[in-house]
Amino acid sequence: MMNGRLQGRRALVTGSTSNIGRAIAEAFAAEGAHVVVSGRSADRGKDVVEGIRARGGRADFVQADLDGTAEASRALARDAVAVLGGGIDVLVNNAGIYPGDATADTDEQTFDRVYAVNVKAPFFLTAVIAPAMAEAGGGAIINLGSWIARLGVPVGALYSSTKGAMETLTRASAAEFGPRGVRVNAISPGVILEPSPGEPSPGEVMMNGTPAGTLGDPRAIAHAAVYLAAEESAFVHGITLDVDGGRTTTAVIAA
């Protein structure tokens, strides 16, 4: 059922063929937005688009491999604008990769690739889309951070550093583009996994001792993204919204 909180908006969600990105694209479409679903897999992209259309939403797929080059980001922006028949009102920088290697096991090629995909690609996508939003009268950009950007864990140092960079870029971009009508905010998800009934996840232990006490569903992040894209958050600039079951802020002490 469409509630229309994003009625008439045109949105681009990167990395939206699965998990969090897919949930955001589906939620945006359910609220009336015309959504460009983007990712590397045409098959998965087609599946997301068909699902959205079957529920009465508007969506199109644009294939893209955001490798960190400025041209790849610019090409996606051009293709998305063409499909949407005009500008982009909402950009969600969600695409990212996660190698879980220890620091000593991370080679230079992996380091460069993770920063290219997780930081350079959204930086250059923002660089081309934010000024166009400002020229058109405004818009909203939502970046994806991560709880491990601020709570150190002994694995994934490379990934967590990229998410720390994205949260810093969120604040800097809010300062740069906010006065021109473009709101820039971030969401910091906790341990989020698509539901797999009957299959335990090793990530569950990472939510022990939190108020939620369990893994998060991608839809929790999608709800937050709808809020940051909609008019309800018109006075919200430069924040990182923790949607992590209390992982970074609260410790539940058992009696």
Side-chain angles (χ1 to χ4, degrees):
M1 179 178 178
M2 292 190 183
N3 297 316
R5 293 163 72 192
L6 300 178
Q7 193 66 43
R9 305 285 181 88
R10 298 159 297 187
L12 167 61
V13 184
T14 69
S16 48
T17 60
S18 65
N19 206 24
I20 289 174
R22 177 173 187 159
I24 293 173
E26 291 172 343
F28 278 11
E31 293 289 351
H34 182 183
V35 182
V36 167
V37 174
S38 179
R40 289 174 293 179
S41 171
D43 289 339
R44 291 196 301 181
K46 179 181 178 183
D47 181 60
V48 177
V49 167
E50 288 179 348
I52 289 173
R53 290 177 178 175
R55 292 185 291 272
R58 297 184 66 194
D60 292 280
F61 176 69
V62 173
Q63 191 168 21
D65 182 4
L66 293 174
D67 59 5
T69 61
E71 181 50 38
S73 292
R74 291 170 187 151
L76 173 56
R78 286 195 302 267
D79 292 346
V81 167
V83 166
L84 292 169
I88 295 169
D89 303 303
V90 183
L91 166 65
V92 180
N93 284 311
N94 169 73
I97 54 176
Y98 177 83
D101 297 335
T103 299
D105 298 325
T106 301
D107 59 35
E108 186 176 5
Q109 183 178 14
T110 299
F111 184 100
D112 289 344
R113 173 162 169 71
V114 174
Y115 261 85
V117 175
N118 292 8
V119 182
K120 283 184 67 180
F123 178 90
F124 284 113
L125 201 53
T126 298
V128 65
I129 291 176
M133 284 180 172
E135 187 72 22
I141 296 175
I142 303 166
N143 296 323
L144 270 291
S146 172
W147 65 281
I148 62 171
R150 279 166 290 130
L151 181 65
V153 296
V155 292
L158 174 57
Y159 175 83
S160 64
S161 71
T162 67
K163 290 305 180 179
M166 285 309 298
E167 292 185 10
T168 297
L169 280 173
T170 295
R171 293 184 288 272
S173 296
E176 182 175 359
F177 297 109
R180 300 168 62 188
V182 180
R183 294 186 302 104
V184 186
N185 293 289
I187 300 171
S188 176
V191 185
I192 306 288
L193 288 177
E194 291 178 294
S196 299
E199 295 183 20
S201 167
E204 289 179 4
V205 70
M206 302 178 84
M207 292 303 291
N208 288 345
T210 67
T214 187
L215 298 173
D217 186 287
R219 288 171 295 183
I221 310 305
H223 294 320
V226 169
Y227 165 70
L228 289 175
E231 288 302 313
E232 291 96 320
S233 62
F235 200 54
V236 179
H237 291 262
I239 70 160
T240 295
L241 178 58
D242 292 321
V243 186
D244 63 2
R247 175 71 282 171
T248 56
T249 59
T250 311
V252 176
I253 308 300

